[in-house]
Each structure stands twice: as structure tokens, then as C-alpha cells.
């Protein structure tokens, strides 16, 4: 079967501000180009997310997910008073837990009020459900 280069994954850099996408472009191939892009983003007060996707739309969706994940981890850091590495480890453990559940198990935990008392675990559960194409409402 022939391979179409149009649908081959590529590296995109997505500029964001507070979860809103401000621009999507192919990631420069050189360190100098990446550094220039980083400087421009700093001047414009934008966050950069480098993601792999087949097109700009898919890249923006992946960047939004990465932003939401970082926000959830930072929220956990502030609530519990731990550093980024510890909070990231807790997130990974929550994600592993959520992925190991059956669809029925994930649905029961979703209805369990998890969001109120363990928001990071709830976030990981929602991410896993979206990944498996399960309803989250």
C-alpha cells in the first residue's frame, strides 16, 4: 500500500496564551530557528508547545490537551505543596490507574464524585476515557 506524505506525522509548534491557540506552524528544523521562535514567543508572552501531528488542526488539539494537563499538574502542586517532578509522578500513576480500569470501572469512578476530592485523578480519568472514545458526561 502506498504511503501518503500528506498524512505523515510532523512536528508542529503551537503558540498559546492561557489555553487559547494563537498560532500553529511547522517546527523549525534548526536550533537557531527554534531559538528565534522561542524569543518571539517570550516577547509576545506566549507559551510554546511542540507536538507531533498530521496537520495544524490536530496539532492545536494536542497542544490544548498538553496545556490542560500542565494546568492540572500545577493545580495539584499548589494544593498539595509539592514540586513539579512529584506532581508529574502522581499524574502518571493516576493515568496508569485510569487506563487499567475497564470501561465500566472508569464510568463508575466518573459517577463517584472524584472531581471534588481528587481533581488530578479525575483529570487523568477523563483523559483516559477520551483516549478510548468513551463518553465523559
Amino acid at each position: 500500500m502506498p504511503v501518503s506524505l500528506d498524512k505523515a506525522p510532523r512536528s508542529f509548534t503551537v503558540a498559546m496564551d492561557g489555553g487559547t491557540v494563537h498560532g500553529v506552524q511547522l517546527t523549525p528544523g534548526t536550533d537557531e530557528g527554534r531559538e528565534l521562535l522561542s524569543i518571539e514567543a517570550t516577547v509576545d508572552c506566549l507559551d510554546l508547545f511542540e507536538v507531533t501531528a498530521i496537520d495544524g488542526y490536530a496539532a492545536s488539539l494536542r497542544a490544548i490537551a498538553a496545556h490542560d494537563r500542565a494546568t492540572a499538574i500545577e493545580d495539584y502542586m499548589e494544593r498539595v505543596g509539592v514540586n513539579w517532578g512529584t506532581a508529574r509522578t502522581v499524574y502518571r500513576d493516576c493515568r496508569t490507574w485510569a487506563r487499567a480500569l475497564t470501561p465500566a470501572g472508569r464510568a463508575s469512578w466518573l459517577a463517584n464524585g472524584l472531581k471534588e476530592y481528587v481533581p488530578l485523578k479525575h483529570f487523568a480519568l477523563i483523559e483516559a476515557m477520551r483516549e478510548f472514545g468513551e463518553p465523559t458526561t
Side-chain angles (χ1 to χ4, degrees):
M1 179 183 332
V3 176
S4 170
L5 294 180
D6 291 343
K7 297 298 178 186
R10 295 177 286 181
S11 179
F12 289 88
T13 300
V14 182
M16 298 181 70
D17 179 27
T20 302
V21 174
H22 284 267
V24 179
Q25 63 184 0
L26 288 171
T27 301
T30 65
D31 289 339
E32 183 180 291
R34 287 182 173 145
E35 188 174 321
L36 182 60
L37 190 59
S38 178
I39 291 169
E40 290 173 5
T42 301
V43 168
D44 294 336
C45 299
L46 298 173
D47 297 318
L48 294 180
F49 290 87
E50 190 172 326
V51 298
T52 302
I54 60 170
D55 60 24
Y57 179 72
S60 66
L61 293 179
R62 287 180 182 257
I64 290 168
H67 174 271
D68 291 348
R69 187 177 311 111
T71 301
I73 292 170
E74 288 169 4
D75 177 65
Y76 181 82
M77 287 170 53
E78 291 175 12
R79 287 175 184 260
V80 180
V82 296
N83 64 25
W84 175 263
T86 301
R88 179 82 177 149
T89 299
V90 170
Y91 162 76
R92 285 184 186 143
D93 290 347
C94 291
R95 185 153 168 88
T96 300
W97 164 82
R99 291 187 57 143
L101 295 171
T102 64
R106 283 188 287 274
S108 71
W109 273 102
L110 184 64
N112 197 0
L114 193 63
K115 186 176 186 177
E116 285 73 36
Y117 63 94
V118 194
L120 187 60
K121 195 169 224 176
H122 178 264
F123 180 81
L125 180 67
I126 294 294
E127 268 197 334
M129 292 177 81
R130 286 182 181 150
E131 181 181 330
F132 291 123
E134 299 167 7
T136 58
T137 55

